Amino acid sequence: MTSSVLDQLKRKEIVDLLDQGKRIDGRAFDQSRPLSIETGVISKANGSARVRLGDTEIVTGIKIQPDKPFPDLGDKGIFICTAEILPLAHPDAEPGPPGEDVIELARVVDRGIRESGMIDMSKLVLEKDKSVIGIFADNSVVDHDGNLFDACSYATTAAILSCKIPKWEIKNAVPVLVEDHESSPPITTIPVSITMGRIGEHILVDPNAEEWECIDARITITTNSDGNICALQKGGKNGFTVDQLSKCADIAISAATKIRERLKQTKG
Amino acid sequence: MTSSVLDQLKRKEIVDLLDQGKRIDGRAFDQSRPLSIETGVISKANGSARVRLGDTEIVTGIKIQPDKPFPDLGDKGIFICTAEILPLAHPDAEPGPPGEDVIELARVVDRGIRESGMIDMSKLVLEKDKSVIGIFADNSVVDHDGNLFDACSYATTAAILSCKIPKWEIKNAVPVLVEDHESSPPITTIPVSITMGRIGEHILVDPNAEEWECIDARITITTNSDGNICALQKGGKNGFTVDQLSKCADIAISAATKIRERLKQTKG
Amino acid sequence: MTSSVLDQLKRKEIVDLLDQGKRIDGRAFDQSRPLSIETGVISKANGSARVRLGDTEIVTGIKIQPDKPFPDLGDKGIFICTAEILPLAHPDAEPGPPGEDVIELARVVDRGIRESGMIDMSKLVLEKDKSVIGIFADNSVVDHDGNLFDACSYATTAAILSCKIPKWEIKNAVPVLVEDHESSPPITTIPVSITMGRIGEHILVDPNAEEWECIDARITITTNSDGNICALQKGGKNGFTVDQLSKCADIAISAATKIRERLKQTKG
Amino acid sequence: MGGRESTLVLLDKNGIRCDGRKIDEPRKIMIKAGVLKNADGSAYIEFGDNKIIAGVFGPRDVHPKHLSNTDTGILRCRYHMSPFSVTERKNPAPSRREIEISKVIKEALLPSLMLEKFPRTVVDVFIEVLQADGGSRCAAIDAASVALADAGIPMRDMVCACAAGKVADTIVLDVNNEEDQAGQADMPVGYMPNLNKVTLLQLDGVLTRDEYKKCIDTAIGGCKLVYQIQKKALTDKFFENGGNQ
Amino acid sequence: MGGRESTLVLLDKNGIRCDGRKIDEPRKIMIKAGVLKNADGSAYIEFGDNKIIAGVFGPRDVHPKHLSNTDTGILRCRYHMSPFSVTERKNPAPSRREIEISKVIKEALLPSLMLEKFPRTVVDVFIEVLQADGGSRCAAIDAASVALADAGIPMRDMVCACAAGKVADTIVLDVNNEEDQAGQADMPVGYMPNLNKVTLLQLDGVLTRDEYKKCIDTAIGGCKLVYQIQKKALTDKFFENGGNQ
Amino acid sequence: MGGRESTLVLLDKNGIRCDGRKIDEPRKIMIKAGVLKNADGSAYIEFGDNKIIAGVFGPRDVHPKHLSNTDTGILRCRYHMSPFSVTERKNPAPSRREIEISKVIKEALLPSLMLEKFPRTVVDVFIEVLQADGGSRCAAIDAASVALADAGIPMRDMVCACAAGKVADTIVLDVNNEEDQAGQADMPVGYMPNLNKVTLLQLDGVLTRDEYKKCIDTAIGGCKLVYQIQKKALTDKFFENGGNQ
């Protein structure tokens, strides 16, 4: 928990470069790292994706199975999102139950999917109030080089877009699988999260691990296909001015467009 | 876990005063601290009470809901009592699962209610062996200045006395709430616990935190409205002679009377 | 975790003796410690055994109760085996959830029973896919002087052989106990585990605690009544040559015979 | 969120909300500082039907020690709901929701504290929700910031928090529970009024770019109202009750 | 407690109880000291159908160290039931009941031990209930006190324990399981016979002031019977088996 | 095991298995070394439908310190399955099966490592099963041993692992999932090919004395095939990709 002399030198180097308009890895301030998306990588899952965002790598699997609805939400399917930073992903990652960082990560990714209405959950009801389809999205962080929010968000979105939903019929009050009747998920929009870090007055899109260490504050802004904002999460040890928040919104809306096009290609 | 010089001086001061027949806060040996009882403080609960006993403060809420009966007790409702010493209640209180002190606390409070037969549990059956009414009493210790046993006991008792039990009817084997048909709980007696500490030969009713630190042994004696003894719990690092136990019983029966009158006022 | 000078001297003594063909307690290399088996020691259990293997002592109880079958195994009863090294069994044993050693222990004992087919699980079905008989074997290690694998295995086997299975009938989809209709368990074979330690080139049957500390590698070989091998578990910080593994199998098959005779006497 | 069906009239033709408030009117707020004996600082808030206590201990030694930082003090925060605080009895173990809220509250308060003055120490903020209503995380921050001031922790600013949201296509201040369930968006905002910085920002629901801006501005307006109440609570404690406690 | 219905005749007209005992007669008790190889001290007790082992380690170093006390040794106690010890299989994880009983047993034994002689150390008492019957906490204390003596821990006195109770409106010694279920009160008592102090006292059920006194006296009578059996167990260990162990 | 009913033809009259393999033919195996940025060493394996990553950290300091050994370095091993790796979603918490497999893998790898060169340190091997198929513990060992070499941990030998089993009364190499379910025995073997030592050996199912010997020999044959693939993975990493990473 102590910032060493080395860390302080690194921070100084990063900030000095920023003041000259440069990022340490040569990207533009509003530029994400190279994004690779591969779907269908886990054939035992109903949907899956392997996403690399720079050197951050995620494998996400979707499992779909009948479940009971949440109380008072008997006309909606279930969506549950988890994350684990595998201990092989980083020297500081430890096995065991998720800490607050990982819980926040999973909940932010979850909220982006849920609040955007990406999946039409009303189409996932087998028998109202009794039996619905549950979608589990589990994110395994395989290599951690910063900005897990966006990497997990893209991996989850891509895995959902590529998944096939099995068919169940209710027989004697029990859901029974109908073989060979898979369908595409009922997608209404494609949410894209853009996470930005503030270092001094600079706003950086998709900070890598070295930049992440220097962040004063961060914000994740998720937008839907209409360019509207559907989820927000501020974090970090400092805050944002209202002007900075306005700027972040503009950046997020703009930066999301290209990534949404990439995600659309995984569809179908 | 080390008694500092300061603690030893404090103990000497307390014992010296006791030898002169005085308590550190001026009370008589058989006198409880000022007791304030406020009910109905949590409108979302079915019953609630905020109790201050000196500077010890408890907020207790009652939640009532249909439940399955315990095996072999299909003709009785359920009563479950928990306690938590909130970490804001004391510098040494830590968040997390309850330790042995808190488990003992909850079980002693529970036993006073249960063994006195305060609530006629046979009146809380919806369908024998299948469905009964469950009463949950959760004690949140907000400020800890000693003798949580009595403070939680009074708060739980007051919350029960002031609670309203919703009505359920069994329809198609499922309990269904009947709106606007609340009733008072089936009360048979009012248990009152009196906790006493022994310091040397002195028996002190309702020790505060400073006195609690000096206790050789303690005993909680709960009596019902008939003046009979319905629960006992000895604790502490030493014991009692039989004569001391006799004296404690006399004190407990006597001291309970006034407090029972206070609790009765919360009824209805 | 540091081997003291004393430990090293002890190890030297043990190895020097082995090189002279002697074990520290005078046994032959392929000789188990004295085995005492007492059944019916816990009358509240459906079966029980107290086993001493040298100074290692185990008390095992069998509980039998109706349960749901495992998914996809609706035509088989359930067998579950646990172990706990009681904290009174050894100065290093700690209370709390089982560590990897104890989990391995329970699973090795479980596998010996299960893979041998000792109990004909297909005879333990009350209603296919809905309700089966569950057998729980819980091993409490009371004194730990090495080789818990064999001691727990013999105790579990003896407890099963001596148990009586109550009778249940399905009435209205619920299993109902039929009093006074107990039967013997459907036994097909008697598995016997033989655990061997390798110290240098020496293979020692049933190492005691002192020998256990010096082991390079260990192997547990379980054989059934036909003399066939039905479970294996290699452990320890080193390995075995193929020749050593052949020798171990011969020893295990031979050494099991006498112990199987002892176990047979507990039957019925 | 996102248009659950309801027969509730969220906003009538006179611009009056389901609980009788105007669109820029917060619910009733009451804050009292210094309510606990043992805590180094404390505050109690009623914000609508929220009833929340915050208690602060520190700066004090860190246990376990490896969590301490030689450069600065650290902040720990626990947001916890009593089992009886909500309609259905809540399991006392902390939920994932409570753990996330604890973290965002910590990061909302952190910018206001001069913890660098107390290296190797910890300040603990414990928040207990005795009764929960819409906007409990904002109310929790409001109480916690007063409790931190009451504990005498050196501060750069107060943190005040209030939500704004979108209800019946209108941006309104301080979304209540019914509006949160039936409305279109809820955006809790934490704000340092003198340093003019947003330290908490979350969103459930969908907003256009313009609504986003308007929502932030509306919420900050609410934060400034809260700030006056926070100041009054501290003044009342130190000048009215200060002498005899 | 409190009059559960039953057709069981708890006390017949000749004053004979449901298991054939007189009102002041304890169940069969057998104690053996020194039954374990690894423990520093140990004892096994059969008390009615209770079958319980106690093992003692210490005085020894405390882990984790922050639990140690520079002024005195500490006592830790674990009362645990094997899964097969009761009619329905018990989950091996300690229940709230086991945790409370561990604590009251610790506080029943503590007055008898001279732990102030061993600052910074711990004495661990581990109790395993292999088979449970009525009065298991008393039987556990009886075994644990013998195990502590067997371990050579300096003691001021033995602690002996026995319950008394109210059955069919009569105060009786050593309530058994059926009497506990169908009877009116059960009062476990722990007692130091030479120092004449009660170190364990609990009660389930209802007693008048006079019955309370009579119950304590009756239980102490039982404790004194147990004391003789404890002494014999230690004598047997040290004089009969002492030489060859 | 032990003859579950099935209509599957496990071995046809031409000696061809249900997935088209011959009796001594392993499934398709692919290993890639150095696949992770942060780990000190890593490897990815596809073995049949198994997809497994192994990452190694160390030698590094041990936390908590009391686990460290002044005489030697220690090895820790975690075998873990992702929730989506199996047909039914797996709870992310480690199961008893995963804990046992972690231990046997640790003891399979330990003989190959010269940890005595690094007293007081730990080498951590983390294995994540992204997709599970029959023989996942063998595949995990194969990847872990490559990852340890990739991390530059001094090694006496590689550890290669492969199972053999009994299917349709025949000893076959590398039992797949269907054969494991419907077959008669499955014996995973870990082996150091240069030191000629078996470091992992388990068995589910029943074998005669002779079949036991034949099964070990068959499995070791498979291990030797795996060894070539492990060597190639390391060569590829160091000579083809080594320069530009």
Side-chain angles (χ1 to χ4, degrees), chain F residues 94-216:
Chain F
S95 66
R96 290 161 52 96
R97 178 181 170 274
E98 285 167 287
I99 292 169
E100 188 207 347
I101 292 180
S102 297
K103 183 171 189 286
V104 297
I105 290 178
K106 179 177 71 185
E107 294 177 349
L109 295 171
L110 202 48
S112 73
L113 303 175
M114 298 158 101
L115 297 180
E116 64 281 2
K117 289 180 184 284
F118 306 100
R120 298 172 199 273
T121 69
V122 63
V123 171
D124 278 307
V125 175
F126 298 118
I127 293 162
E128 186 74 12
V129 179
L130 296 169
Q131 183 162 281
D133 192 10
S136 69
R137 78 193 67 187
C138 289
I141 288 170
D142 297 330
S145 196
V146 172
L148 284 159
D150 182 45
I153 312 291
M155 292 170 80
R156 296 189 169 79
D157 200 348
M158 291 295 286
V159 182
C160 29
C162 191
K166 184 178 173 188
V167 169
D169 295 321
T170 309
I171 303 302
V172 302
L173 181 65
D174 183 26
V175 169
N176 71 20
N177 214 21
E178 290 69 35
E179 291 172 336
D180 185 23
Q181 296 301 315
Q184 293 151 302
D186 184 21
M187 178 198 273
V189 172
Y191 179 69
M192 296 192 295
N194 299 296
L195 296 174
N196 193 25
K197 280 210 174 167
V198 171
T199 65
L200 172 86
L201 185 67
Q202 295 187 291
L203 172 68
D204 286 353
V206 180
L207 294 175
T208 66
R209 174 69 182 80
D210 288 345
E211 289 167 344
Y212 162 80
K213 180 69 171 58
K214 186 163 183 201
C215 231
I216 293 175

Side-chain angles (χ1 to χ4, degrees), chain A residues 74-93:
Chain A
D75 56 350
K76 299 270 164 71
I78 282 179
F79 176 70
I80 287 174
C81 179
T82 78
E84 181 176 6
I85 302 178
L86 300 180
L88 52 71
H90 196 272
D92 296 342

Side-chain angles (χ1 to χ4, degrees), chain B residues 69-109:
Chain B
F70 289 121
D72 296 332
L73 287 172
D75 55 351
K76 298 272 164 72
I78 282 179
F79 176 70
I80 288 173
C81 180
T82 78
E84 181 177 5
I85 303 178
L86 300 180
L88 52 71
H90 196 271
D92 296 341
E94 291 193 0
E100 60 171 28
D101 284 8
V102 175
I103 287 174
E104 184 189 25
L105 168 61
R107 286 179 61 86
V108 167
V109 173

